[in-house]
Amino acid sequence: MTLGAREPEDLTQPFTCPECGQSGPRERYVQVAYSCPDCNLSVAHVDLAPTGVVREIFGWLLTPGEVLIDRYRVKNLLGRGGFAATYGVEDMRLSDRRCALKEVPRLLFDDGESEILSRLHHRGIPNIRDRFEERDMVYLVLEFGGSRSLNAERIERGGRIPAETVVPWIRQLCDVLRYLHEQDPPIVHRDLKPANVLLNENGQINLIDFGIAKETGTDAQTRTIARSATHGFSPPEQVLGTGTDQRSDVYALGATLYVLLTGQKPPPAHQRVAGAELTHPMALVPNLPPALDALIMRAVELNINQRMQSIAEFDDGLAAMERGGPAPAALNSAGAGASSTRGGALPIEGRTLMVEGDAAAVYTPDASRAQRSRMVWWVALIGVLAVAGAAWWTTREPIAGESIAGSELEAEVDHSTVAIGGAATPKLAERSPSGSAETSAAELTEIGEQPVPEVSEPVELGDRAQRPTSDLPWRTPEEAAAALGAQPEPPNEG
């Protein structure tokens, strides 16, 4: 059938789902909000109200065998997004050469995607060969010699793709994303998912669907091509509208790898924010390398500052595993009977991914020794000032109406030291029974210059322990002054 113009909607006409191939009258699909009751594919471009009710239909998806403008014959559906669908088609004028055809309702189309693609040149990003309009739809013909997406490949393989097969593809995808993020201004894809990654027969991947890509200007102004989110793949900052950047693509990349390996989509970001748990990939895939599990879990952190801060970091982790270095090799040997080798470290741009059993934490080297020494100085100084302030309080003259019981005001103050990077600040010396101060100014200086022990155990960045010390009694002004190496002030005779 040649499609010159879309026929008026006739619910008695048959329709074949381009995803699962099941057929039935169109009324069957309308009854379930224009979705396929067999595979749940949205089979039409629709305008949804906030309540989920279909307000308008822009058109049904194309089915295999349909021909557009007497040239492009539809072979299969490659992917389906919120605003667009992408088909594998044959160009009948060029000896049935295969390419990809993107379909977008005219009312939802934005030239921003064409503008972005026109200035990108990367083997993982298809070029636009043609553009035309047909019955309220805009079509972009993209260079692509394959016939499937990563999502279709996953389904064909029974729902999961082995790590040794999928990791090289993901590394290609990292290369594409790094190229986008290095543009001036950077381009954030924002719709990364298996259905938008195409795969040809030579194992080359292509990233498509830049319909909601975002350009971040150097002047902090952002041009948004469109607004959308895909549950399970879009990060919380995109779903909640708080602002996206390159780290948003890191989240989507981690979610994409998660689905390809496990066959399960992560819970939507807004549900995770509300408390829904994300199951570790290792719990779903036998013998999955713990280092790969840890990389994925860090990439899909809800807190944007706790993810990898660039695609390069993610790629470096995958590269270390592929190289088979000592630590990654030990991690890759995890599995049945390999519990003794289920620990290791994967370096990622100055950080170390520590893996112990099923748990993983990122250890970032703490501040330099000099910085920690300065912190010790500050803590010691604050303690001395606190003692001096307390001494002033005990010797001040009572305010009218205020009474002080006894000849001396007795009080105790809790003092604690703060462990920074595993080393605690020294405790100020207590007063000797004879009443003399045991800590001199020279000793305080020596305290501040004491070396800080190295961290003995991996801790997460920002982890700080609190260690209480014994109480420090009050001192008289003379004792406090002696501890500071200064002369006591003469008593106030006024």
Side-chain angles (χ1 to χ4, degrees):
M1 178 182 71
T2 300
L3 186 64
R6 291 184 183 275
E7 69 277 8
E9 186 173 5
D10 184 353
L11 300 185
T12 64
Q13 292 294 315
F15 178 81
T16 300
C17 174
E19 180 75 18
C20 66
Q22 297 297 317
S23 299
R26 299 193 180 205
E27 183 178 13
R28 176 174 181 254
Y29 302 91
V30 174
Q31 291 174 349
V32 284
Y34 292 90
S35 296
C36 176
D38 299 298
C39 68
N40 202 35
L41 175 74
S42 178
V43 297
H45 300 284
V46 296
D47 178 24
L48 293 174
T51 58
V53 176
V54 176
R55 292 187 295 200
E56 182 182 0
I57 174 174
F58 300 114
W60 292 77
L61 298 188
L62 302 177
T63 57
E66 290 189 72
V67 178
L68 292 156
I69 62 171
D70 294 325
R71 180 172 182 176
Y72 299 107
R73 180 189 294 115
V74 177
K75 298 294 295 181
N76 63 309
L77 179 71
L78 294 175
R80 176 77 172 90
F83 294 119
T86 305
Y87 309 91
V89 299
E90 293 175 339
D91 188 342
M92 295 164 35
R93 296 183 188 174
L94 296 175
S95 303
D96 293 335
R97 181 175 178 177
R98 285 178 297 185
C99 48
L101 182 72
K102 181 175 180 178
E103 175 186 61
V104 186
R106 181 182 294 138
L107 291 176
L108 302 177
F109 182 77
D110 192 304
D111 279 328
E113 178 174 11
S114 300
E115 294 173 3
I116 289 176
L117 291 177
S118 65
R119 53 187 167 83
L120 297 178
H121 303 283
H122 189 284
R123 64 175 184 172
I125 301 175
N127 295 322
I128 297 178
R129 283 181 47 192
D130 195 4
R131 170 180 166 169
F132 62 91
E133 295 188 16
E134 185 80 20
R135 183 69 185 203
D136 297 328
M137 293 285 171
V138 177
Y139 294 93
L140 300 178
V141 182
L142 308 175
E143 290 280 2
F144 175 63
S147 60
R148 63 196 188 279
S149 65
L150 288 189
N151 190 55
E153 181 75 10
R154 177 186 65 82
I155 294 173
E156 185 177 327
R157 288 173 177 258
R160 298 177 180 175
I161 303 178
E164 59 270 20
T165 300
V166 76
V167 166
W169 295 340
I170 295 299
R171 292 210 62 202
Q172 288 188 53
L173 191 54
C174 286
D175 189 61
V176 177
L177 293 171
R178 289 174 71 168
Y179 171 78
L180 293 175
H181 296 173
E182 290 168 358
Q183 297 303 301
D184 186 16
I187 297 172
V188 183
H189 188 272
R190 302 207 315 157
D191 200 16
L192 182 60
K193 55 189 175 185
N196 282 341
V197 183
L198 307 184
L199 180 70
N200 67 19
E201 278 63 32
N202 298 321
Q204 173 66 42
I205 65 98
N206 274 236
L207 179 60
I208 63 170
D209 205 344
F210 288 74
I212 62 170
K214 186 184 79 168
E215 295 178 301
T216 303
T218 55
D219 59 351
Q221 295 297 318
T222 296
R223 175 173 181 264
T224 303
I225 306 303
R227 296 185 180 275
S228 182
T230 303
H231 288 324
F233 299 99
S234 298
E237 66 269 16
Q238 183 174 344
V239 174
L240 303 176
T242 57
T244 55
D245 59 24
Q246 291 93 321
R247 295 169 295 179
S248 303
D249 281 347
V250 170
Y251 184 101
L253 179 62
T256 295
L257 183 54
Y258 185 101
V259 171
L260 296 175
L261 289 171
T262 68
Q264 296 187 18
K265 189 162 62 173
H270 66 278
Q271 292 183 8
R272 292 187 61 200
V273 170
E277 293 290 336
L278 175 63
T279 303
H280 275 255
M282 288 181 61
L284 303 172
V285 182
N287 302 325
L288 186 72
L292 186 55
D293 177 277
L295 280 171
I296 294 172
M297 294 301 290
R298 185 178 169 212
V300 295
E301 281 280 358
L302 295 176
N303 187 330
I304 193 171
N305 295 311
Q306 293 179 2
R307 297 175 208 150
M308 291 85 168
Q309 297 300 288
S310 69
I311 291 293
E313 288 193 47
F314 194 99
D315 190 34
D316 287 347
L318 295 178
M321 293 176 56
E322 283 193 326
R323 286 194 301 267
L331 293 176
N332 287 334
S333 64
S339 59
S340 62
T341 60
R342 294 191 64 178
L346 186 61
I348 305 176
E349 286 196 2
R351 285 181 277 268
T352 302
L353 189 63
M354 302 304 299
V355 182
E356 294 294 338
D358 293 342
V362 178
Y363 164 58
T364 301
D366 212 342
S368 66
R369 186 172 299 184
Q371 289 175 320
R372 286 178 288 179
S373 182
R374 286 196 295 271
M375 288 293 294
V376 172
W377 254 105
W378 278 108
V379 173
L381 180 59
I382 292 172
V384 172
L385 292 177
V387 172
W392 171 84
W393 179 267
T394 60
T395 58
R396 70 183 182 90
E397 293 188 4
I399 302 173
E402 181 183 25
S403 62
I404 301 178
S407 58
E408 290 186 36
L409 180 64
E410 297 182 353
E412 291 186 353
V413 178
D414 273 336
H415 290 269
S416 62
T417 57
V418 181
I420 302 176
T425 58
K427 184 183 69 174
L428 294 178
E430 296 182 354
R431 192 178 65 179
S432 66
S434 62
S436 63
E438 296 181 346
T439 305
S440 67
E443 290 171 329
L444 286 175
T445 302
E446 182 181 354
I447 287 173
E449 294 178 350
Q450 287 181 351
V452 180
E454 292 293 334
V455 178
S456 59
E457 296 179 356
V459 296
E460 294 193 10
L461 179 62
D463 188 24
R464 298 291 183 264
Q466 299 289 336
R467 303 178 184 175
T469 62
S470 60
D471 295 334
L472 186 66
W474 287 103
R475 297 180 179 181
T476 66
E478 292 78 7
E479 293 168 343
L484 291 171
Q487 294 299 321
E489 293 184 4
N492 185 359
E493 297 180 355

